[in-house]
Amino acid sequence: MTTDGSQNNELEDFEAYLEPDFEAANFANSLLISTNGHDNNLLDLQTPVKKLKYDLVELDKRMKLISSTNYESLTSNFTQIEQYKTILQDRINPQLVTINKPFDKIKREVIEPYEDATRLNNALKNIHQTLELLRTSSFFIFIIQQLEELQVGGGGGDGSTSSPSGDVVRTSRLYSQLMNLYQSVTTPSGGIKSDLSGNNNSNVMSIRFIRDYRATAITRKQSLLHEFSRVVNHETSRATSLNLKNLKLYHHLQALYILDPHEFCQIFDKSTIQRSLTTSSNQLSKALQSPRNFTAIMTEVQQSNTIYFNKLDEVLAKWNLPHDNSNKADQSYLSFILSHYGTDSLHLLFWQKLAQQLKRNIVATMARGGPIAKNLKVYSQGLKTSIEDKFTNVKIKQDILDAFSMIEYK
């Protein structure tokens, strides 16, 4: 049986966990500050975790001691408390003083140890909450530390691509993982998710360092997207840059896809198809002003874009997407992009869009009338014959001839 002194000392050293207003987040913050100080640039998580683990072991020992020391009282006497109360109140009033003595003994040896054990159990739960909070925080801190190291070392964490191009892939993976962690503990509106299971993952946002870094991560992610877009746009601007040895393009395509697959498709479209479409459409639009030169300019457009899209297809077919949970194993960029557009060929898609633009330009030219419209009517049959001879793909040929049919229609 425990003595009075030992009973009073059961909770010694654990008062902090038993405060009525105890909060795991505040306690974790104070524990980290007391261990690391305010000016320490390196965060030490091991020391506070060791302290909490020590407290867990000590509490477990004390609970076992209480249970083993008071085993008989806990099993045999506790069930008799209510019965003793009834006897005290209804039958033994004349002997109340005598009866109070064993009751006090029961209270001292059974009830009070039980209450102490309950309080110790509550303290144990609070320690577990703090450990879970620190564990979740360590995931955030580990990724953030790596990102900061990459930034200091010129690894592209600030949008710079002066480092080895392979670092941009690593940087993108880290930012993607970090944003997924933030998403897992916050609602779409930015609030903290409620967790009915009692898990304290969401409380990690109560740690100021992690909460404040979210805005920094979002800003840097947008900076990276802008930089990746600039590099991809530059590296795909010339057919000569489209080769398997262009690792700068390869790594930036990987990094862009990892960081944001949706932005990847938009940037790719703007850097390749839309740019080629704008250039070629401008050439053909000017050629409409002088139908005599239209065939030569169409030939130039056809040859340059055939070379460009053949080289683009070659590298995209040989390069595979980075592995993740959303794409199939060893899926090529070409397969992914064609699936995105819902087409069998980028070259075919380009000519389909170019024919539509050419059709709109012809309609506008004929609507304005004048000498240019008259010249187009004069040369229309010759232009159609030239198209028949130059294009072997039936679909492309038909789309362009359909555009020229607007000359006769007007």
Side-chain angles (χ1 to χ4, degrees):
M1 201 69 64
T2 59
T3 65
D4 292 343
S6 63
Q7 289 176 5
N8 293 331
N9 292 330
E10 291 293 346
L11 302 179
E12 188 177 354
D13 299 327
F14 296 101
E15 291 84 356
Y17 302 111
L18 302 172
E19 294 293 337
D21 57 349
F22 177 89
E23 291 185 4
N26 292 337
F27 186 80
N29 279 330
S30 63
L31 190 58
L32 288 173
I33 291 173
S34 65
T35 303
N36 294 274
H38 292 279
D39 300 324
N40 194 348
N41 294 328
L42 297 177
L43 187 61
D44 177 16
L45 291 177
Q46 296 298 322
T47 301
V49 169
K50 288 180 180 179
K51 181 182 185 307
L52 290 172
K53 287 183 176 180
Y54 172 80
D55 290 345
L56 281 173
V57 172
E58 181 62 22
L59 280 171
D60 188 59
K61 290 180 180 179
R62 297 190 187 188
M63 290 185 70
K64 288 181 179 179
L65 179 62
I66 293 173
S67 299
S68 60
T69 305
N70 300 279
Y71 176 76
E72 292 184 0
S73 299
L74 288 171
T75 56
S76 64
N77 293 339
F78 187 77
T79 57
Q80 302 177 21
I81 293 176
E82 292 300 324
Q83 179 182 354
Y84 287 161
K85 286 183 178 179
T86 302
I87 294 174
L88 287 170
Q89 293 174 2
D90 301 338
R91 301 182 183 180
I92 320 178
N93 285 334
Q95 303 179 13
L96 186 58
V97 176
T98 304
I99 296 297
N100 279 340
K101 292 181 179 179
F103 181 77
D104 288 341
K105 182 179 179 181
I106 293 173
K107 181 180 179 181
R108 184 176 60 256
E109 297 179 359
V110 179
I111 297 177
E112 291 179 355
Y114 171 78
E115 291 175 347
D116 288 345
T118 301
R119 296 176 66 192
L120 285 172
N121 186 60
N122 291 334
L124 186 63
K125 290 180 180 179
N126 289 334
I127 293 176
H128 274 293
Q129 290 178 352
T130 305
L131 276 175
E132 179 64 22
L133 181 61
L134 289 175
R135 185 185 71 87
T136 307
S137 301
S138 67
F139 296 149
F140 280 89
I141 293 170
F142 177 72
I143 295 176
I144 291 172
Q145 285 180 330
Q146 291 187 75
L147 286 171
E148 292 301 309
E149 289 172 3
L150 281 173
Q151 184 183 10
V152 172
D158 56 351
S160 171
T161 56
S162 60
S163 61
S165 56
D167 281 350
V168 299
V169 178
R170 183 186 174 201
T171 301
S172 290
R173 289 193 186 279
L174 289 173
Y175 272 110
S176 178
Q177 292 169 359
L178 182 61
M179 299 313 296
N180 286 337
L181 278 177
Y182 277 117
Q183 185 178 5
S184 69
V185 298
T186 57
T187 62
S189 61
I192 298 177
K193 284 184 178 179
S194 60
D195 194 341
L196 299 179
S197 65
N199 192 300
N200 280 279
N201 285 346
S202 60
N203 289 338
V204 72
M205 293 300 288
S206 63
I207 297 178
R208 181 178 178 180
F209 170 72
I210 294 175
R211 182 180 65 250
D212 292 350
Y213 195 85
R214 186 185 184 195
T216 301
I218 293 174
T219 300
R220 289 182 179 175
K221 178 185 175 182
Q222 292 304 315
S223 177
L224 282 175
L225 284 173
H226 177 75
E227 180 64 18
F228 294 166
S229 175
R230 185 191 66 79
V231 173
V232 170
N233 184 67
H234 179 266
E235 294 300 318
T236 56
S237 62
R238 305 178 305 278
T240 53
S241 298
L242 299 175
N243 59 78
L244 297 177
K245 294 182 180 180
N246 190 345
L247 295 182
K248 184 176 183 179
L249 174 60
Y250 172 64
H251 286 130
H252 278 81
L253 286 175
Q254 279 195 315
L256 181 58
Y257 178 85
I258 293 169
L259 198 60
D260 194 326
H262 179 69
E263 286 288 336
F264 171 89
C265 294
Q266 292 186 346
I267 292 172
F268 175 85
D269 182 77
K270 180 179 178 182
S271 301
T272 56
I273 296 177
Q274 292 301 323
R275 179 170 51 202
S276 298
L277 183 62
T278 300
T279 302
S280 299
S281 178
N282 289 337
Q283 288 179 278
L284 295 181
S285 180
K286 292 179 180 179
L288 290 176
Q289 311 302 313
S290 179
R292 185 181 305 172
N293 300 323
F294 189 90
T295 299
I297 294 176
M298 176 62 82
T299 300
E300 180 184 344
V301 169
Q302 181 189 26
Q303 291 176 348
S304 61
N305 283 286
T306 298
I307 294 173
Y308 181 84
F309 283 101
N310 283 344
K311 288 191 173 184
L312 183 62
D313 282 353
E314 181 182 358
V315 295
L316 294 179
K318 293 291 180 62
W319 289 342
N320 292 332
L321 295 175
H323 291 284
D324 59 28
N325 295 328
S326 61
N327 63 275
K328 299 177 182 178
D330 298 327
Q331 183 183 15
S332 69
Y333 281 98
L334 182 61
S335 174
F336 171 75
I337 292 169
L338 292 179
S339 176
H340 169 74
Y341 286 117
T343 185
D344 296 327
S345 167
L346 292 178
H347 188 252
L348 182 62
L349 178 65
F350 163 78
W351 279 105
Q352 178 184 355
K353 291 179 177 292
L354 183 58
Q356 292 172 352
Q357 186 62 48
L358 177 62
K359 186 175 184 179
R360 288 192 289 270
N361 290 339
I362 290 175
V363 169
T365 300
M366 299 306 295
R368 286 193 297 268
I372 295 176
K374 291 179 180 180
N375 283 340
L376 281 178
K377 285 188 176 183
V378 172
Y379 284 95
S380 63
Q381 189 57 48
L383 295 176
K384 290 180 181 179
T385 301
S386 176
I387 296 301
E388 290 277 4
D389 295 338
K390 290 185 176 300
F391 290 90
T392 58
N393 186 284
V394 176
K395 183 66 171 63
I396 295 176
K397 183 189 302 184
Q398 186 57 48
D399 286 342
I400 299 176
L401 289 175
D402 181 59
F404 278 102
S405 68
M406 294 294 100
I407 298 176
E408 300 300 328
Y409 177 76
K410 290 293 182 179

